[in-house]
Amino acid sequence: MKTIFNQFRNRTAITALAGALAVGATALAWSHDSGKDSERASINIPMDENSIPRDSLPHGSYAPIVKKVAPGVVQIEATSTTRNPSMEEGHGQDLEPLWQQFFGNQFGRMPRGHAGPMRQHALGSGVIVTKDGYILTNNHVVDGASELKITLNDGREFAAKVVGRDAKSDIAVVKIDATNLPIVPLADSDKVEVGDVVLAVGNPFGVGQTVTKGIVSATGRGGMGIEAYEDFIQTDAAINPGNSGGALVDIDGRLIGINTAILSRSGGSQGVGFAIPSDSARNVMQNLVAYGHVTRGYLGVMIQNITPALAQEFKLKDNSGALVGDVVPDGPAASAGLKEGDVVREFNGKKIIDSRHLQMAVADTKPGDTVPVEILRNGDSMTLKVAVKQIPGTEEVAENNSDKGTDTGTLNGVGVGDIGQQDRSQFNIPKNVKGALITQVDPSSVAAEVGLKPGDVIEDINHHPVNGADDAVRLTEHAKDKHTLL
């Protein structure tokens, strides 16, 4: 579970991050199609889109709801190995009395001067959403894990494998080899309202499955600096360490969110918890299962919220909408005719409240689709057609996901993209340089060990010139050996 400390003291830094994220409006849930991608399986996630009855709350007990949900919420034990720790005798191993009540002395004591790999265990939660074993959880629950063990509420245990992870939304999908499993059906989280009664189900502190009750305190929460893409459901149902990846359900026992983070000064629940809406989780899950990654759309604008002063300056009736501060040359927005000073009021039929809502609206759009965008320009309303593209820098060099072995090739774990104008400015890349820009490097990969890092430009692969990301992918996805000359 992620905890936010010193929220108000760090407000300036959080606001700056939100502004930076606004450069490329994003689209969750859609991925670039390729021959390799098409070989993966699709997934059918059970969903109930009906609204809950708001005039007939349960009286006396929530036990019938818990009985429906509890079998589909699991405990996840993630095991990772740290490299070469060196510990003095007992350092870090003596637990506070409170923790000893929960864990005893199961971690033991390390001998003085011990050095070598050490296995670490972390507990989280997950939600079974298909009968054949697909489980939703948080990325931070399984990130870095070498082994995963799933424990069902009935005591059964299964080894699990990671199907896919998306750090920017903090969603991960894991799979166990089982059939006819109990599931928690998904609800339409867009229909959730403030005041709805909710239950949080998970495994806090490793004490076992626990249920807490509260209400939806707010919807559409963002700008918290927790994830790159934020549209949280806020709740006062108690969420504590170990609840990460667990279920937030409505009074019909349907999943409306994946519990993710809390705002706390103590590290424990203080009534402000956040869950990723089930709609966002479902979209990311479908792409992770089908393609192994999530590719985000791109609008190509710098946007900001409209303040009362800006509303007066631009002669607007209210503060709703997203103000276009800059337009990236040759980007989708520029090609459609958007200009600096335009105010986006509606995107693909969705009302835009602020800049973050524009990001989330683009998040529902498949790259390649052409959608209507309603804007205000000099007080006049007009509608433009924008062809959303894939956000630059999200093309991934092919990696081996086969169960038959681990690919240790040089470019496994490397993300590449085409070089844009902003990239040249940010990384000081000369205009005459062509190639594929490295946008991300998995810290645990061989590529990181040999020194590759974001901002590097790959100009040549195995004596073949590289003009862009497509070339990098093509020249590495069917490598005959484990070595690549850059």
Side-chain angles (χ1 to χ4, degrees), residues 131-386:
K131 289 183 176 296
D132 58 345
Y134 282 97
I135 297 171
L136 271 173
T137 187
N138 285 138
N139 173 66
H140 73 262
V141 170
V142 301
D143 187 17
S146 56
E147 298 177 17
L148 292 176
K149 183 175 75 173
I150 305 298
T151 303
L152 273 59
N153 193 41
D154 61 13
R156 287 182 290 168
E157 296 181 350
F158 296 88
K161 65 177 182 179
V162 176
V163 175
R165 301 187 294 109
D166 182 52
K168 292 185 177 181
S169 64
D170 199 18
I171 287 294
V173 180
V174 302
K175 178 75 165 60
I176 60 177
D177 187 10
T179 58
N180 199 30
L181 292 169
I183 67 168
V184 182
L186 276 66
D188 183 353
S189 56
D190 280 346
K191 296 179 179 179
V192 170
E193 295 184 9
V194 175
D196 287 348
V197 174
V198 292
L199 304 178
V201 188
N203 292 272
F205 299 112
V207 299
Q209 191 175 92
T210 302
V211 181
T212 56
K213 181 183 75 71
I215 64 169
V216 173
S217 304
T219 58
R221 281 287 192 240
M224 311 299 296
I226 306 172
E227 313 298 347
Y229 304 105
E230 298 180 344
D231 189 34
F232 293 123
I233 296 171
Q234 181 181 326
T235 180
D236 64 347
I239 297 173
N240 285 292
N243 273 115
S244 280
L248 188 69
V249 300
D250 62 20
I251 60 170
D252 279 344
R254 302 174 304 173
L255 187 72
I256 63 169
I258 298 295
N259 298 321
T260 297
I262 61 172
L263 178 61
S264 174
R265 298 183 186 278
S266 67
S269 175
Q270 291 187 298
V272 184
F274 302 101
I276 300 169
S278 57
D279 288 354
S280 297
R282 183 183 71 254
N283 290 339
V284 172
M285 181 180 189
Q286 288 172 331
N287 277 260
L288 292 177
V289 172
Y291 309 115
H293 61 273
V294 180
T295 300
R296 293 175 165 84
Y298 180 63
L299 193 56
V301 292
M302 181 74 76
I303 53 179
Q304 65 185 87
N305 292 334
I306 298 174
T307 64
L310 288 173
Q312 183 177 358
E313 178 70 22
F314 285 90
K315 299 179 174 58
L316 303 176
K317 295 180 180 179
D318 53 46
N319 299 346
S320 63
L323 177 64
V324 177
D326 196 11
V327 180
V328 177
D330 301 322
S335 300
L338 266 73
K339 298 180 179 180
E340 179 181 340
D342 288 345
V343 177
V344 180
R345 302 297 293 268
E346 190 173 296
F347 186 92
N348 197 21
K350 294 184 177 180
K351 297 292 183 182
I352 301 303
I353 299 174
D354 55 24
S355 59
R356 186 177 58 83
H357 281 87
L358 178 56
Q359 285 184 294
M360 300 310 296
V362 179
D364 292 330
T365 308
K366 180 181 179 181
D369 283 357
T370 299
V371 299
V373 180
E374 183 181 311
I375 66 169
L376 287 177
R377 179 179 295 169
N378 299 324
D380 296 328
S381 178
M382 62 180 66
T383 300
L384 303 176
K385 297 286 187 178
V386 177

